[in-house]
Amino acid sequence: MELLASLFVGQPPNILAVAALFLGGCLILRSTSFGAGRHPRVLLVAAGGWTLYAVLEWVVAVRTPELNIRVDLFVIWPVLAVVSAWALFRSLR
């Protein structure tokens, strides 16, 4: 858990990198024959979720940099995990 916190809490560029991976996966699946018969657009949902999380982290870093206890992450991270797993499963199924 500490690894996730060091990678994502207060690090909007790292979060945007994850969103870019989902977006890149969508573009790759749409442009290659590997994506035929699959649903690559669901990866855009995950990319959007990660982008919204990056915006939230940026706002928190700018508005309240002294914030140490982040209870909101108990909701955000499980939701992002479920959405990401669902998007990967659905796009590669």
Side-chain angles (χ1 to χ4, degrees):
M1 193 62 128
E2 193 172 319
L3 176 66
L4 285 176
S6 66
L7 284 175
F8 297 126
V9 175
Q11 302 292 330
N14 293 349
I15 300 165
L16 285 175
V18 175
L21 286 174
F22 279 107
L23 181 62
C26 176
L27 294 175
I28 288 171
L29 283 178
R30 289 181 76 179
S31 64
T32 62
S33 62
F34 182 71
R38 301 184 194 283
H39 303 283
R41 287 183 296 194
V42 296
L43 291 174
L44 294 176
V45 174
W50 282 94
T51 302
L52 288 175
Y53 175 46
V55 169
L56 174 71
E57 281 297 319
W58 178 76
V59 168
V60 167
V62 169
R63 303 286 285 177
T64 56
E66 72 281 347
L67 194 62
N68 288 336
I69 299 174
R70 297 284 309 275
V71 179
D72 60 333
L73 297 178
F74 284 117
V75 175
I76 294 170
W77 283 0
V79 169
L80 277 176
V82 168
V83 167
S84 298
W86 170 78
L88 286 172
F89 174 75
R90 182 82 175 133
S91 66
L92 297 175
R93 191 176 82 141

